[in-house]
Amino acid sequence: MTKYVYKFKEGNASMKNLLGGKGANLAEMTGLGLPVPRGFTITTEACNRYYDDNKTIAPEIEKEIFDTLAETESIVGKKLGDPADPYLVSVRSGARASMPGMMDTILNLGLNSEVVIGLAGLTNNERFAYDSYRRFITMFGDVVMEIPKSKFDKEFEAVKAVKGVKLDTELDAEDMKEVVKRFLKVYEDNKGEPFPQDPKIQLMEAIKAVFRSWNNDRAILYRRMNDIPGNWGTAVSVQEMVYGNMGETSGTGVAFTRNPATGEKKLYGEFLMNAQGEDVVAGIRTPQTIDQLREVMPEVYEQFAKIANTLETHYKDMQDMEFTIERGRLFMLQTRNGKRTAAAAMRVAVEMVEEGLNTKEDAIMKLDPKQLDALLHPTFDPAALKAASAITHGLPASPGAATGRIYFTADDAKTANELGEKVLLVRLETSPEDLAGMDAAQGILTGRGGMTSHAAVVARGMGKCCISGCSELIIKEEDKYFLTKDGRKFEEGDWISLDGSTGAVYEGRIATQEATLSGNFRKVMEWADEIRTMQVRTNADTVRDARVAFDLGAEGIGLCRTEHMFFETERIFAFRQMIVAKTEEQRRAALAKILPYQQKDFEGLFHAMKGFPVTIRLLDPPLHEFLPQTDEEIRDLARELNMDPEELKDFTISLHELNPMLGHRGCRLAVTYPEIAEMQTEAIINAAINVNKEGGPQVVPEIMVPLVCEVKELKFVKNIIVKTADAIIAKAGIKLAYKVGTMIEIPRAALTADEIAGEAEFFSFGTNDLTQMTYGLSRDDAGKILEAYYRTKIFENDPTAKLDTVGVGRLMRIAADGGRATRPDIHLGICGEHGGDPSSIEFCNSLGFTYVSCSPFRVPIARLAAAQAAVRQRK
Ligand code: ADP
Ligand code: MG
Ligand code: MG
């Protein structure tokens, strides 16, 4: 029989899949003998059963829950619902991967109008009892019954207003009773029935609500952004309550073993006295720093610091911990590997190896490749910054520089961003509902909340600049403006700039500059290079891109798209002349004009890559992309080309294809106009000869034929290439090695790869086209369709961003096997967008690829991901 419920004593940290991260770590901390309130965890399998059983909890699981509860009750010596000595619990969500704030937690469960009186008497603290009850009613109402939290907040504010106070701590027992009375009414008004008094019903409803929260919109979005599968499910932990809201010797807080913004090895965190649960992160009052705890409660501080150290040493990673102090007694409520900025991640990785806590491999495995993005992002240009004046300061919650137009709701920010604007999201505080807006924004500014507020934590995870707690600003979300201290007004659409590293907010746009990479980053990259077995190349069409990529560690160019070289004004004319040429002679004349440009470009790329291989793809896109579209443009071009405008127009129309992606493009261009392939080969070979003549590192150019679906097609084009190249080489009287290979981007090419490998010396998987053609889904039109597919859970990911290892992957495997069967030493690479995606990189590694190729700024990500893939494969 499947076991669905585990007491904390029965679990450990390795059981994350079953118990969720939170449940597994609570169990582990219990095992370490740390002060953890008792409890048990209902497994992720129970969550999946809940969905399989049509959103019900099967009787045998319910029985297991209540049996375990009874056992816990007898150990604790208290009973759920017993007014004489009530057992109260929290019901906490927790998936395998940490999803901060995405799902729901309910505290103080077990209270009702009778138990609250008992609790007040027992603790001799009426205020505390009613404060706990009002919190429970809100959480139960909000999370379980979907009554908007704002309805409770409104009543709470009203009671504070009547009393003439600002803070929750200024309300006394009688006020809290009044709050409870009003909350019970809100509940009944909204649900048409009284607040449930039976704690067992409360418990089962709460558990179901946590299961349901696995599939709320923000959790689904978070999973998509973080590559978390929908079938993992969440676990539910039921834990005895401890109370941080019992007065001035009680409190609650969160802390990291190291600074999550910089990585500095120093306890870092915040706490609030007389507070419970989310109070610290929700920003209801301004928290104190963990250093201040040393003064307020020295013994508790010492104990906490010791535990923090124990946990970090035990997990060999920086920990993010939640704790509560109940009347001077410390309890640990959570620990997990802490989210950190990319810069902090590098520093922690390096220092933990230096401290002997981790091996290089451990350190590499603990990094998140995607996070490197943030390191490669811009900061403000110092000169421009000097000239700028700050309008206010907040907390430097997540570093980086951002400039954009301000928007006051997530929706507005998202819409503006979709229209191509750079936006900044300004909110009083953010909640998980704001996720899409935060994602769309360059940076985030909030009026309230500390360094561990939702905005801060989420922004750091996204590698996005964030300033929180700008308390000087008067932010009017509904009226879409904010006022500075000196009364200046900034409205929706105005430009401001944020420095997430200092917390300064500036008026207007400030120029940014590229990131400089730290010594820690270089060290981590060196380690990654020692470990990985796959090469990392870049996709680059310009010398500038190639240099950036080389500096970021690229070991060659995996894809140079030659068509991108034609768009410059002087060249496009010759290129258009080539397209509209009526005879081969005219076409050759036009090509002759283009040749020197191409040759120079290739020389630049060869120089930039200093002897590393450079793969150049022959002309690929449909020709009409290069022709003028409007009548006016056609008239102008006709004049330039000395042509009749009508004739040019007719010709343009004749080039039009119903389905250009499947039309006259790729190697089909070389088949119809061999002289194009000839010219390009000539440019490549001449460039290589010239560069090699200089005596520096010798380049071996790789000429790549796109969109091949049939070996005879490749053979035809290869003949042109080889004839042209060999003639030039013979004439120059020197030696030059070069390779001819092909893209695998049409399913038929993958299926007949064994034949194609007879002609191709290398394969480069063009997974953009391969995905598009395997799915039969146009990548330019997929957006709208995918929205519906996410909603209906048919797709969890965009296959053009994350490689589909099932279908497209099967074709890749067939092609890799086929290629190697014919030509055992064939080079295999990937040059689609997927080349920079960590999970896709891992797949390529498993197929034994020679290299992945990605855009320049993704090169470090790919180096790290390739190292991780190598370690995983060895295991
Ligand atoms: P999240 O995953 O959103 O952090 P948690 O389950 O950790 O949600 O709980 C939310 C808050 O409630 C945290 O601050 C946590 O410390 C607090 N909390 C949870 N369980 C208890 C408990 N048994 N006693 C006291 N506080 C608790
Ligand atoms: Mg938590
Ligand atoms: Mg292609």
Side-chain angles (χ1 to χ4, degrees), residues 80 108 404 441 448 634 754 762 843:
L80 197 66
N108 308 324
R448 295 191 210 133
I634 291 179
D754 51 347
F762 62 88
F843 182 72

Side-chain angles (χ1 to χ4, degrees), residues 563 567 572 576 579 621-629 660-661:
E563 55 271 19
F567 278 107
I572 189 90
R576 284 170 169 164
I579 298 174
L623 293 183
H624 72 87
E625 276 186 17
F626 295 91
L627 284 177
Q629 304 299 329
M661 271 298 183

Side-chain angles (χ1 to χ4, degrees), residues 466-591:
C466 174
I467 299 180
S468 64
C470 286
S471 50
E472 271 179 14
L473 297 182
I474 298 170
I475 300 176
K476 298 283 184 192
E477 287 173 352
E478 276 172 21
D479 302 320
K480 306 189 176 182
Y481 70 87
F482 72 72
L483 294 176
T484 61
K485 206 173 156 192
D486 55 4
R488 289 167 61 204
K489 191 170 179 183
F490 288 79
E491 292 173 279
E492 180 179 87
D494 288 348
W495 283 87
I496 64 168
S497 300
L498 308 178
D499 188 336
S501 314
T502 62
V505 181
Y506 301 94
E507 178 175 11
R509 311 171 66 154
I510 303 178
T512 52
Q513 65 176 22
E514 315 273 274
T516 47
L517 296 167
S518 70
N520 289 328
F521 169 82
R522 295 196 188 281
K523 195 164 269 178
V524 165
M525 284 296 126
E526 267 169 37
W527 296 343
D529 293 346
E530 285 167 24
I531 294 167
R532 71 187 159 88
T533 49
M534 207 163 41
Q535 292 168 23
V536 175
R537 297 192 190 178
T538 190
N539 299 348
D541 316 324
T542 65
V543 173
R544 203 184 127 265
D545 284 358
R547 288 209 184 109
V548 169
F550 184 85
D551 288 341
L552 292 173
E555 300 161 296
I557 291 178
L559 174 63
C560 165
R561 303 168 166 100
T562 47
E563 55 271 19
H564 289 183
M565 301 172 153
F566 292 119
F567 278 107
E568 275 167 48
T569 35
E570 321 155 25
R571 306 172 185 197
I572 189 90
F573 177 68
F575 196 75
R576 284 170 169 164
Q577 238 177 347
M578 188 277 288
I579 298 174
V580 301
K582 287 200 200 106
T583 63
E584 185 183 325
E585 209 181 354
Q586 281 175 355
R587 199 171 302 111
R588 282 186 184 279
L591 285 167

Side-chain angles (χ1 to χ4, degrees), residues 617 620 665 706-707 743 745 766-770 773 779:
R617 178 175 74 184
D620 182 51
R665 57 175 288 225
L707 218 74
M743 305 269 294
E745 53 186 339
T767 49
N768 298 349
D769 267 313
L770 188 61
M773 295 199 214
R779 63 182 201 242

